[in-house]
């Protein structure tokens, strides 16, 4: 068996972040070495609280969790998405409070420190706005030299946005940061709404989590309840989009990606109607994927189904 | 049989404009009462030349053709798309020169005059940049009161752009004009790349035109040759996208539109990467069309197939 990949997770925990976190903790392909939090679904302090409490449920008090940016690069945090994620970010489920202290470092410093500890092998997985990562690049421009790869849940090309007609929340909340991150000198795999909206977890999957002997799986099952309510009007049934979990499965190398061209991705940082959009050059792709030379951003367009079953299997293991 | 609809055509003739024009001339549902030209595929003067010459091939010297704007609202015309439409706009086919003079009025004045002649019934069909129409609205803000409906080929939502990753040529060439036209107080049906790229005319269809006893049909068949060459690498076969012709068929009421929600459409007039994009709010449409209250822009998302056969049938009639 190959060595698990050391992963730094930057997140805004968050219901689907919770599912992703549980998966990363249980996946044999992943060694989660640190977590930074950022505002997005909830604020960065609450996201750290939720993350620590979930780690405690999983019996893991060895993973440092550091609080990152409360406000975005160019504007203040605006209160998140309580209608989607509940008032506390985890579907209003009250988690037992972990006794593990929050790491004293900032999320930026923790990421930079771990990039030295795991130089050349550290995988960066981001499932929130990219505020911390842009700040880390500003603080240490050599960071990309020590990062093996970046996987980012965010953006959309040929699917509708979720915070504007064309903008997805993680990118749209901090377009300036996303623009910096996508322009840096590293390999980025973008996991956009184009695919995450097509991979769903059903209420039956949720019940499989609830019936597990694993406290972590049961907790995730409870948290998901709120999310399935939110998505009911969009899908016509109680299912959950697998935004962050799909990115985690891709980071673990456990997804069969069938379309993911290397294409230029620009982030709209104007104040026009397209603000926060990932402008992705998908021209000339009618006959199949066409990679642009010299481009290091891979835009995931299609992933084989079976994600929910895989998530349930790993989280309940 | 019902009275044919009086139509004013604003165009940048252009190969697919030529097909649309031929269709409008032969459709029993249409009474083409005037044509204005604008720069786009070619410049507005050449577009008028091509239009007059095609009208002569059809034996029609009774339809006024007026030259419109050479330059766009905020920037000069940049030379069009000779790689798509040939150096003369009509696939480098040399048309016999019509003896009909160009109308002495501007395209704006011709449109305003005809809106009085056909007050309340005139249908405005635009298949080029919206420069003239925005100028007409500025010249006479009461214009919408006399226009029955507007059909516009342009824009894209969930399909890639054709002059930028997200912008279609007609809108992208003059976003300021498009923004004015889509904000005016009239019913607009937008026929975007989302549908026009899915409706194609084959080389066999082209040969059916070439073999027709109708000089107009044969001329259109000749002109199309260049266009099929252009589209070969995109489709993997010699076919023509039916951008402008599909809009003409829709204006004639001869298409079966299966999806066309009334949705807010904003045009990106910034100088960011999304400039010229039609930002269309298609959120919440997963379960079917959802019309937004008070909105008068209908965005065509799906049209039943059979467009090429219908075009050939009408043009050869």
């Amino acid at each position: 068996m190959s060595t698990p990949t050391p992963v730094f997770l930057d997140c805004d925990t968050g219901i689907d972040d919770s599912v992703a976190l549980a998966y990363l903790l249980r996946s044999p392909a992943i060694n989660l070495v640190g977590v930074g939090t950022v505002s997005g679904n909830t604020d960065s302090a609450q996201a750290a609280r939720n993350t620590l409490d979930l780690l405690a449920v999983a019996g893991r008090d060895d993973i440092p969790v550091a609080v990152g940016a409360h406000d975005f690069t160019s504007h203040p945090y605006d209160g998140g998405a309580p209608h989607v994620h509940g008032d506390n970010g985890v579907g209003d489920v009250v988690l037992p409070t972990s006794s593990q202290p929050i790491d004293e470092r900032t999320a930026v410093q923790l990421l930079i420190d771990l990039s030295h500890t795991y130089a050349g092998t550290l995988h960066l997985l981001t499932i929130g706005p990219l505020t911390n990562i842009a700040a880390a690049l500003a603080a240490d421009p050599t960071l990309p030299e020590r990062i093996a790869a970046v996987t980012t849940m965010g953006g959309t090309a040929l699917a509708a946005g979720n915070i504007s007609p064309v903008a997805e929340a993680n990118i749209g909340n901090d377009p300036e940061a996303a623009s910096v991150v996508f322009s840096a000198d590293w390999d980025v795999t973008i996991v956009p709404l184009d695919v995450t909206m097509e991979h769903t977890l059903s209420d039956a999957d949720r019940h499989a989590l609830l019936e597990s002997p694993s406290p972590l799986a049961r907790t995730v099952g409870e948290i998901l309840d709120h999310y399935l309510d939110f998505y009911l009007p969009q899908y016509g049934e109680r299912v959950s989009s697998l935004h962050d979990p799909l990115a985690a499965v891709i980071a673990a190398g456990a997804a069969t990606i069938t379309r993911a061209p290397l294409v230029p991705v620009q982030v709209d940082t104007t104040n026009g109607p397209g603000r926060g959009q990932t402008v992705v050059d998908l021209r000339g792709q009618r006959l199949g994927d066409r990679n642009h030379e010299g481009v290091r951003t891979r835009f995931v367009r299609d992933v084989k189904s079976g994600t929910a079953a895989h998530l349930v299997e790993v989280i309940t293991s």
Side-chain angles (χ1 to χ4, degrees), chain A:
Chain A
M1 188 160 169
S2 58
T3 317
T5 304
V7 167
F8 183 91
L9 175 69
D10 194 84
C11 58
D12 54 339
T13 320
I15 293 179
D16 57 328
D17 306 67
S18 301
V19 181
L21 179 64
Y23 174 82
L24 294 170
L25 290 169
R26 301 301 308 154
S27 166
I30 297 288
N31 173 23
L32 185 63
V33 298
V35 180
T37 66
V38 64
S39 295
N41 299 328
T42 187
D43 69 80
S44 56
Q46 181 68 41
R49 181 75 264 144
N50 295 341
T51 304
L52 278 175
D53 293 349
L54 282 163
L55 288 177
V57 171
R60 294 290 298 273
D61 59 3
D62 57 314
I63 299 169
V65 176
V67 179
H70 179 268
D71 291 322
F72 303 121
T73 305
S74 74
H75 63 286
Y77 170 67
D78 64 355
H83 59 297
V84 185
H85 294 273
D87 289 334
N88 70 351
V90 286
D92 296 328
V93 170
V94 179
L95 300 173
T97 304
S98 166
S99 59
Q100 183 190 338
I102 288 186
D103 197 279
E104 285 176 3
R105 289 166 287 185
T106 62
V108 167
Q109 193 57 52
L110 179 61
L111 168 57
I112 291 172
D113 288 354
L114 288 169
S115 75
H116 287 284
T117 310
Y118 299 94
T121 61
L122 188 64
H123 195 117
L124 172 57
L125 171 61
T126 75
I127 56 178
L130 291 160
T131 320
N132 294 334
I133 314 306
L137 287 166
D140 182 355
T142 69
L143 179 66
E145 297 169 15
R146 298 184 303 279
I147 299 292
V150 181
T151 301
T152 294
M153 190 279 132
T156 189
L158 305 184
N162 58 11
I163 62 163
S164 92
V166 292
E168 176 279 335
N170 287 345
I171 308 302
N173 271 328
D174 198 338
E176 285 75 12
S179 182
V180 166
V181 171
F182 294 166
S183 310
D185 194 24
W186 51 17
D187 294 319
V188 180
T189 295
I190 299 176
V191 185
L193 294 181
D194 305 64
V195 280
T196 65
M197 286 297 289
E198 304 310 317
H199 287 248
T200 54
L201 181 144
S202 69
D203 214 3
D205 296 321
R206 189 177 81 85
H207 279 278
L209 293 170
L210 288 173
E211 286 152 19
S212 165
S214 151
L216 178 64
R218 290 200 305 274
T219 302
V220 167
E222 286 169 29
I223 291 172
L224 274 165
D225 192 31
H226 191 277
Y227 213 48
L228 271 64
D229 285 343
F230 170 74
Y231 276 113
L232 174 60
Q234 288 191 48
Y235 287 98
E237 53 182 333
R238 278 176 50 85
V239 297
S240 158
S241 295
L242 291 173
H243 305 301
D244 296 346
L246 184 60
V249 172
I250 286 172
T256 304
I257 298 174
T258 48
R259 293 198 77 175
L262 290 161
V263 284
V265 177
Q266 286 182 281
V267 180
D268 188 328
T269 56
T270 70
N271 288 312
R275 178 169 171 81
Q277 179 180 18
T278 43
V279 174
V280 186
D281 195 351
L282 293 177
R283 289 176 290 178
Q285 306 264 349
R286 183 173 278 269
L287 298 176
D289 285 351
R290 193 171 63 80
N291 293 324
H292 289 244
E293 220 169 308
V295 169
R296 299 183 69 177
T297 46
R298 195 164 67 118
F299 197 81
V300 179
R301 300 191 63 189
D302 206 13
V303 177
K304 239 181 153 171
S305 61
T307 306
H310 173 68
L311 285 164
V312 170
E313 185 190 342
V314 170
I315 292 172
T316 57
S317 68

